[in-house]
Amino acid sequence: MTEIPQSHSLSSKNMDDLLTEVHSLDSRLSAHGRVHSLLQAVLTIGGDLDLATVLRRLTEVAAQLAGARYAGLGVVDEDGGFSEFIPVGITEEQAAKIHRFPHGRGVLGVPLHERAPLRLTDLREHPDFEGFPEGHPNMGGFLGVPIQVRDEVFGNLYLTEKANGGEFDEEDEAMVTALATAAGVAIENARLYEEARLRERWLAASTEVTTRLLSGADTTEVLAHMAAQAREIGDADTAVVMLPDPRARGHLFAEIAEGPIAQEILGTPVEIHDSVCGWVYETGEAKGIPDLGRANCPMLTHRGYGPGLVVPLGTPGNTRGVLLLGKLADRAPFTAAIRRMLHGFSVQAAVALELAEARRDSERLVVLEERDRIAKDLHDVVIQRLFASAMTLMSTMRLIASPEAEERVQRTIDELDGTIREIRSTIFDLQNPPSHMDTSLRERVLRLAENTAHSLGCHPGVSLDGPIDASVPDDIGEQLLAVLGEGLTNVARHARATEVHVSVVVEETAAKGHSTVLTLTVTDNGVGLPEEGRRSGLRNLEQRARALGGTFTASRNEGGGTVLVWRVPVPDDAVPPPSSF
């Protein structure tokens, strides 16, 4: 064996030392480069005020600095879980196969609770590891770092699977921790900016709602606009305005809906005593719903909805209804900031509703006072003058020798008497206006008669006498309309008439047991009643009269045609007290 010269051994040792020094220098240069990259990353993250962009950049930069294949950022909600999770390194195809993303439990919750970094060679060996969800790629090496904004933990930053197959070391941990610390300031700025923009949008929407209401816009239209604004600004998939109905106590009804399933859920009832919506309505406090699929909310329970938010329309003790917002199951819950702003928006909208109603009540009071003044003038001036004229004509009858002149005077007296009755009927209506003028019984009778003009071949004449709107109860009014409709239909089918007259009269009578009677008379100049034939329609009218304790007759008119008379009693407690004039 040839002996190696001593000088050669020394040379080899010097070479090893040199390589070590070069490797040390390369490491220092590499560390310097990573610090430079860290500074650049901090500048990049802090250069944007859009929160979603900041969080995405932070996750991507952390993966680059630590050389990780996968990274994720979980945003913490009020319950300690994740309201949002941002994955990096997973393709769209892989993401579509994952049943659900992490929710902040198990090993992922350790950095949150301990507020300290967690570095593992294999996260599957940690005692809190709960397994991967279906479709999730397997991962081993793990580095978790909490992100703090002031004293609040905003979220967790996770890195897995070193790209070179190695393990995360202390330097990786230090880099990512420094990045997370610096990113906290950028996140706080972005979050404040986002809340300021949201607050500005809520304020603009609230101002618009108030302006519309106070300018006299229809309340239903304004509530629909409010629901649309709440859905858009709150980033919800569906918005529903639920209001109580005095006719069905104990329930809230979906009166207004915005979203893709709006038409399907309109009118859906929800029990007040056994639902979150009912609790919010009774307490006047907003409440978030983690999963609408498990809540007692029939309209959204089985339609794939998850996060929900219910806010009252009004203040505690004076709630007018509730506003329900819902998101699909795979979306993030509503944030605390959204809940606060939406609650303030709904309260201000409810106040505007009250102001608008007070203004309408004031205007209605002015109208009622004007109606009262007109009624007084009609009674004290017009009726008295007509009555005096009729009395004068009656006293003149003794002086008239001509039978023809006497007949004319008598006809004039009868016409004056009829005019006085019509004016008194008008006075009754002026003093006792219905709650909805467009749905009063008088209006419905006139509308029904007008709607049959085409089938009749002529416009029926209509005479209305007495306090019809003020004294006829709703149930008797519905029967009256049904009888009138059937009577006019019979005329159109069988009478071949060229003239039709309808008379509705409410008058006092001397009939035993009833002081007030409603009488409907339908007269035509047609062919008259047949001697034989089917009369099932007329029997139906008679049955309706008997059910109300009344009578019905159908007879031939002296001048040709038919006369139908439907007469029923009106309960005394439904008749208004006599006028004070």
PDB file of all heavy atoms in Angstrom, residues 362-382:
ATOM      1  N   SER A 362    -102.150  60.929  11.091  1.00  0.00           N
ATOM      2  CA  SER A 362    -102.463  62.353  11.169  1.00  0.00           C
ATOM      3  C   SER A 362    -103.236  62.810   9.937  1.00  0.00           C
ATOM      4  O   SER A 362    -104.224  63.551  10.040  1.00  0.00           O
ATOM      5  CB  SER A 362    -101.164  63.157  11.313  1.00  0.00           C
ATOM      6  OG  SER A 362    -101.431  64.534  11.325  1.00  0.00           O
ATOM      7  N   GLU A 363    -102.795  62.337   8.766  1.00  0.00           N
ATOM      8  CA  GLU A 363    -103.511  62.691   7.541  1.00  0.00           C
ATOM      9  C   GLU A 363    -104.918  62.101   7.538  1.00  0.00           C
ATOM     10  O   GLU A 363    -105.878  62.734   7.083  1.00  0.00           O
ATOM     11  CB  GLU A 363    -102.724  62.196   6.329  1.00  0.00           C
ATOM     12  CG  GLU A 363    -101.381  62.907   6.138  1.00  0.00           C
ATOM     13  CD  GLU A 363    -100.576  62.307   5.014  1.00  0.00           C
ATOM     14  OE1 GLU A 363    -100.995  61.247   4.492  1.00  0.00           O
ATOM     15  OE2 GLU A 363     -99.530  62.874   4.650  1.00  0.00           O
ATOM     16  N   ARG A 364    -105.044  60.856   8.038  1.00  0.00           N
ATOM     17  CA  ARG A 364    -106.360  60.220   8.104  1.00  0.00           C
ATOM     18  C   ARG A 364    -107.285  60.984   9.044  1.00  0.00           C
ATOM     19  O   ARG A 364    -108.484  61.119   8.789  1.00  0.00           O
ATOM     20  CB  ARG A 364    -106.198  58.776   8.562  1.00  0.00           C
ATOM     21  CG  ARG A 364    -107.458  57.932   8.404  1.00  0.00           C
ATOM     22  CD  ARG A 364    -107.215  56.496   8.803  1.00  0.00           C
ATOM     23  NE  ARG A 364    -106.207  55.880   7.959  1.00  0.00           N
ATOM     24  CZ  ARG A 364    -105.036  55.447   8.403  1.00  0.00           C
ATOM     25  NH1 ARG A 364    -104.713  55.594   9.684  1.00  0.00           N
ATOM     26  NH2 ARG A 364    -104.173  54.893   7.592  1.00  0.00           N
ATOM     27  N   LEU A 365    -106.717  61.497  10.142  1.00  0.00           N
ATOM     28  CA  LEU A 365    -107.521  62.273  11.088  1.00  0.00           C
ATOM     29  C   LEU A 365    -108.054  63.535  10.428  1.00  0.00           C
ATOM     30  O   LEU A 365    -109.217  63.925  10.630  1.00  0.00           O
ATOM     31  CB  LEU A 365    -106.682  62.628  12.314  1.00  0.00           C
ATOM     32  CG  LEU A 365    -107.390  63.433  13.406  1.00  0.00           C
ATOM     33  CD1 LEU A 365    -108.584  62.658  13.938  1.00  0.00           C
ATOM     34  CD2 LEU A 365    -106.414  63.764  14.530  1.00  0.00           C
ATOM     35  N   VAL A 366    -107.223  64.175   9.607  1.00  0.00           N
ATOM     36  CA  VAL A 366    -107.678  65.365   8.886  1.00  0.00           C
ATOM     37  C   VAL A 366    -108.829  65.015   7.951  1.00  0.00           C
ATOM     38  O   VAL A 366    -109.832  65.743   7.859  1.00  0.00           O
ATOM     39  CB  VAL A 366    -106.505  65.992   8.100  1.00  0.00           C
ATOM     40  CG1 VAL A 366    -107.003  67.112   7.194  1.00  0.00           C
ATOM     41  CG2 VAL A 366    -105.436  66.511   9.052  1.00  0.00           C
ATOM     42  N   VAL A 367    -108.699  63.873   7.259  1.00  0.00           N
ATOM     43  CA  VAL A 367    -109.770  63.449   6.347  1.00  0.00           C
ATOM     44  C   VAL A 367    -111.055  63.165   7.115  1.00  0.00           C
ATOM     45  O   VAL A 367    -112.155  63.555   6.699  1.00  0.00           O
ATOM     46  CB  VAL A 367    -109.315  62.198   5.563  1.00  0.00           C
ATOM     47  CG1 VAL A 367    -110.483  61.635   4.752  1.00  0.00           C
ATOM     48  CG2 VAL A 367    -108.159  62.546   4.637  1.00  0.00           C
ATOM     49  N   LEU A 368    -110.927  62.483   8.262  1.00  0.00           N
ATOM     50  CA  LEU A 368    -112.112  62.168   9.064  1.00  0.00           C
ATOM     51  C   LEU A 368    -112.787  63.437   9.581  1.00  0.00           C
ATOM     52  O   LEU A 368    -114.022  63.531   9.613  1.00  0.00           O
ATOM     53  CB  LEU A 368    -111.728  61.267  10.235  1.00  0.00           C
ATOM     54  CG  LEU A 368    -111.276  59.846   9.862  1.00  0.00           C
ATOM     55  CD1 LEU A 368    -110.839  59.081  11.105  1.00  0.00           C
ATOM     56  CD2 LEU A 368    -112.400  59.100   9.152  1.00  0.00           C
ATOM     57  N   GLU A 369    -111.981  64.410   9.991  1.00  0.00           N
ATOM     58  CA  GLU A 369    -112.564  65.674  10.445  1.00  0.00           C
ATOM     59  C   GLU A 369    -113.296  66.374   9.310  1.00  0.00           C
ATOM     60  O   GLU A 369    -114.379  66.965   9.508  1.00  0.00           O
ATOM     61  CB  GLU A 369    -111.466  66.575  11.012  1.00  0.00           C
ATOM     62  CG  GLU A 369    -110.892  66.082  12.338  1.00  0.00           C
ATOM     63  CD  GLU A 369    -109.749  66.943  12.815  1.00  0.00           C
ATOM     64  OE1 GLU A 369    -109.247  67.765  12.001  1.00  0.00           O
ATOM     65  OE2 GLU A 369    -109.335  66.809  13.981  1.00  0.00           O
ATOM     66  N   GLU A 370    -112.741  66.295   8.104  1.00  0.00           N
ATOM     67  CA  GLU A 370    -113.400  66.908   6.951  1.00  0.00           C
ATOM     68  C   GLU A 370    -114.691  66.167   6.606  1.00  0.00           C
ATOM     69  O   GLU A 370    -115.709  66.781   6.265  1.00  0.00           O
ATOM     70  CB  GLU A 370    -112.444  66.906   5.751  1.00  0.00           C
ATOM     71  CG  GLU A 370    -112.986  67.567   4.496  1.00  0.00           C
ATOM     72  CD  GLU A 370    -113.250  69.060   4.677  1.00  0.00           C
ATOM     73  OE1 GLU A 370    -112.780  69.649   5.682  1.00  0.00           O
ATOM     74  OE2 GLU A 370    -113.920  69.641   3.805  1.00  0.00           O
ATOM     75  N   ARG A 371    -114.656  64.821   6.703  1.00  0.00           N
ATOM     76  CA  ARG A 371    -115.891  64.061   6.467  1.00  0.00           C
ATOM     77  C   ARG A 371    -116.967  64.444   7.486  1.00  0.00           C
ATOM     78  O   ARG A 371    -118.144  64.563   7.153  1.00  0.00           O
ATOM     79  CB  ARG A 371    -115.583  62.557   6.574  1.00  0.00           C
ATOM     80  CG  ARG A 371    -114.728  62.014   5.445  1.00  0.00           C
ATOM     81  CD  ARG A 371    -114.244  60.620   5.788  1.00  0.00           C
ATOM     82  NE  ARG A 371    -115.344  59.681   5.876  1.00  0.00           N
ATOM     83  CZ  ARG A 371    -115.752  58.883   4.893  1.00  0.00           C
ATOM     84  NH1 ARG A 371    -115.124  58.930   3.724  1.00  0.00           N
ATOM     85  NH2 ARG A 371    -116.760  58.056   5.054  1.00  0.00           N
ATOM     86  N   ASP A 372    -116.548  64.619   8.742  1.00  0.00           N
ATOM     87  CA  ASP A 372    -117.498  64.984   9.790  1.00  0.00           C
ATOM     88  C   ASP A 372    -118.114  66.355   9.500  1.00  0.00           C
ATOM     89  O   ASP A 372    -119.318  66.566   9.691  1.00  0.00           O
ATOM     90  CB  ASP A 372    -116.780  64.981  11.138  1.00  0.00           C
ATOM     91  CG  ASP A 372    -117.747  65.035  12.300  1.00  0.00           C
ATOM     92  OD1 ASP A 372    -118.704  64.242  12.312  1.00  0.00           O
ATOM     93  OD2 ASP A 372    -117.542  65.872  13.188  1.00  0.00           O
ATOM     94  N   ARG A 373    -117.292  67.295   9.039  1.00  0.00           N
ATOM     95  CA  ARG A 373    -117.803  68.631   8.720  1.00  0.00           C
ATOM     96  C   ARG A 373    -118.799  68.565   7.573  1.00  0.00           C
ATOM     97  O   ARG A 373    -119.865  69.200   7.613  1.00  0.00           O
ATOM     98  CB  ARG A 373    -116.630  69.546   8.328  1.00  0.00           C
ATOM     99  CG  ARG A 373    -117.048  70.993   8.078  1.00  0.00           C
ATOM    100  CD  ARG A 373    -115.939  71.771   7.412  1.00  0.00           C
ATOM    101  NE  ARG A 373    -115.618  71.252   6.091  1.00  0.00           N
ATOM    102  CZ  ARG A 373    -116.359  71.514   5.007  1.00  0.00           C
ATOM    103  NH1 ARG A 373    -117.459  72.264   5.101  1.00  0.00           N
ATOM    104  NH2 ARG A 373    -116.014  71.015   3.842  1.00  0.00           N
ATOM    105  N   ILE A 374    -118.480  67.754   6.534  1.00  0.00           N
ATOM    106  CA  ILE A 374    -119.400  67.623   5.395  1.00  0.00           C
ATOM    107  C   ILE A 374    -120.710  67.000   5.849  1.00  0.00           C
ATOM    108  O   ILE A 374    -121.801  67.421   5.436  1.00  0.00           O
ATOM    109  CB  ILE A 374    -118.744  66.781   4.286  1.00  0.00           C
ATOM    110  CG1 ILE A 374    -117.524  67.524   3.716  1.00  0.00           C
ATOM    111  CG2 ILE A 374    -119.742  66.463   3.183  1.00  0.00           C
ATOM    112  CD1 ILE A 374    -116.719  66.713   2.731  1.00  0.00           C
ATOM    113  N   ALA A 375    -120.625  65.974   6.733  1.00  0.00           N
ATOM    114  CA  ALA A 375    -121.838  65.329   7.231  1.00  0.00           C
ATOM    115  C   ALA A 375    -122.716  66.331   7.985  1.00  0.00           C
ATOM    116  O   ALA A 375    -123.944  66.340   7.834  1.00  0.00           O
ATOM    117  CB  ALA A 375    -121.471  64.148   8.133  1.00  0.00           C
ATOM    118  N   LYS A 376    -122.100  67.179   8.802  1.00  0.00           N
ATOM    119  CA  LYS A 376    -122.865  68.197   9.526  1.00  0.00           C
ATOM    120  C   LYS A 376    -123.532  69.168   8.568  1.00  0.00           C
ATOM    121  O   LYS A 376    -124.710  69.528   8.744  1.00  0.00           O
ATOM    122  CB  LYS A 376    -121.941  68.958  10.481  1.00  0.00           C
ATOM    123  CG  LYS A 376    -121.492  68.158  11.681  1.00  0.00           C
ATOM    124  CD  LYS A 376    -120.596  68.990  12.576  1.00  0.00           C
ATOM    125  CE  LYS A 376    -120.140  68.194  13.802  1.00  0.00           C
ATOM    126  NZ  LYS A 376    -119.258  69.000  14.677  1.00  0.00           N
ATOM    127  N   ASP A 377    -122.803  69.608   7.550  1.00  0.00           N
ATOM    128  CA  ASP A 377    -123.381  70.544   6.582  1.00  0.00           C
ATOM    129  C   ASP A 377    -124.544  69.911   5.832  1.00  0.00           C
ATOM    130  O   ASP A 377    -125.579  70.554   5.601  1.00  0.00           O
ATOM    131  CB  ASP A 377    -122.316  71.004   5.585  1.00  0.00           C
ATOM    132  CG  ASP A 377    -121.288  71.926   6.235  1.00  0.00           C
ATOM    133  OD1 ASP A 377    -121.568  72.421   7.342  1.00  0.00           O
ATOM    134  OD2 ASP A 377    -120.222  72.140   5.630  1.00  0.00           O
ATOM    135  N   LEU A 378    -124.387  68.641   5.466  1.00  0.00           N
ATOM    136  CA  LEU A 378    -125.476  67.967   4.762  1.00  0.00           C
ATOM    137  C   LEU A 378    -126.715  67.874   5.641  1.00  0.00           C
ATOM    138  O   LEU A 378    -127.846  68.084   5.177  1.00  0.00           O
ATOM    139  CB  LEU A 378    -125.029  66.557   4.334  1.00  0.00           C
ATOM    140  CG  LEU A 378    -124.047  66.473   3.161  1.00  0.00           C
ATOM    141  CD1 LEU A 378    -123.603  65.030   2.949  1.00  0.00           C
ATOM    142  CD2 LEU A 378    -124.675  67.015   1.882  1.00  0.00           C
ATOM    143  N   HIS A 379    -126.483  67.525   6.928  1.00  0.00           N
ATOM    144  CA  HIS A 379    -127.631  67.361   7.815  1.00  0.00           C
ATOM    145  C   HIS A 379    -128.269  68.695   8.188  1.00  0.00           C
ATOM    146  O   HIS A 379    -129.497  68.861   8.136  1.00  0.00           O
ATOM    147  CB  HIS A 379    -127.190  66.619   9.076  1.00  0.00           C
ATOM    148  CG  HIS A 379    -128.324  66.361  10.026  1.00  0.00           C
ATOM    149  ND1 HIS A 379    -128.732  67.281  10.975  1.00  0.00           N
ATOM    150  CD2 HIS A 379    -129.144  65.289  10.163  1.00  0.00           C
ATOM    151  CE1 HIS A 379    -129.744  66.787  11.655  1.00  0.00           C
ATOM    152  NE2 HIS A 379    -130.022  65.580  11.205  1.00  0.00           N
ATOM    153  N   ASP A 380    -127.440  69.655   8.558  1.00  0.00           N
ATOM    154  CA  ASP A 380    -127.985  70.913   9.084  1.00  0.00           C
ATOM    155  C   ASP A 380    -128.473  71.851   8.002  1.00  0.00           C
ATOM    156  O   ASP A 380    -129.340  72.708   8.267  1.00  0.00           O
ATOM    157  CB  ASP A 380    -126.914  71.630   9.916  1.00  0.00           C
ATOM    158  CG  ASP A 380    -126.526  70.837  11.150  1.00  0.00           C
ATOM    159  OD1 ASP A 380    -127.309  69.937  11.531  1.00  0.00           O
ATOM    160  OD2 ASP A 380    -125.459  71.103  11.723  1.00  0.00           O
ATOM    161  N   VAL A 381    -127.959  71.751   6.796  1.00  0.00           N
ATOM    162  CA  VAL A 381    -128.315  72.709   5.742  1.00  0.00           C
ATOM    163  C   VAL A 381    -129.124  72.047   4.624  1.00  0.00           C
ATOM    164  O   VAL A 381    -130.287  72.383   4.387  1.00  0.00           O
ATOM    165  CB  VAL A 381    -127.043  73.374   5.169  1.00  0.00           C
ATOM    166  CG1 VAL A 381    -127.432  74.360   4.058  1.00  0.00           C
ATOM    167  CG2 VAL A 381    -126.249  74.076   6.259  1.00  0.00           C
ATOM    168  N   VAL A 382    -128.507  71.063   3.981  1.00  0.00           N
ATOM    169  CA  VAL A 382    -129.121  70.506   2.773  1.00  0.00           C
ATOM    170  C   VAL A 382    -130.412  69.765   3.104  1.00  0.00           C
ATOM    171  O   VAL A 382    -131.469  70.017   2.503  1.00  0.00           O
ATOM    172  CB  VAL A 382    -128.126  69.573   2.049  1.00  0.00           C
ATOM    173  CG1 VAL A 382    -128.773  68.971   0.800  1.00  0.00           C
ATOM    174  CG2 VAL A 382    -126.871  70.346   1.676  1.00  0.00           C
TER     175      VAL A 382
END
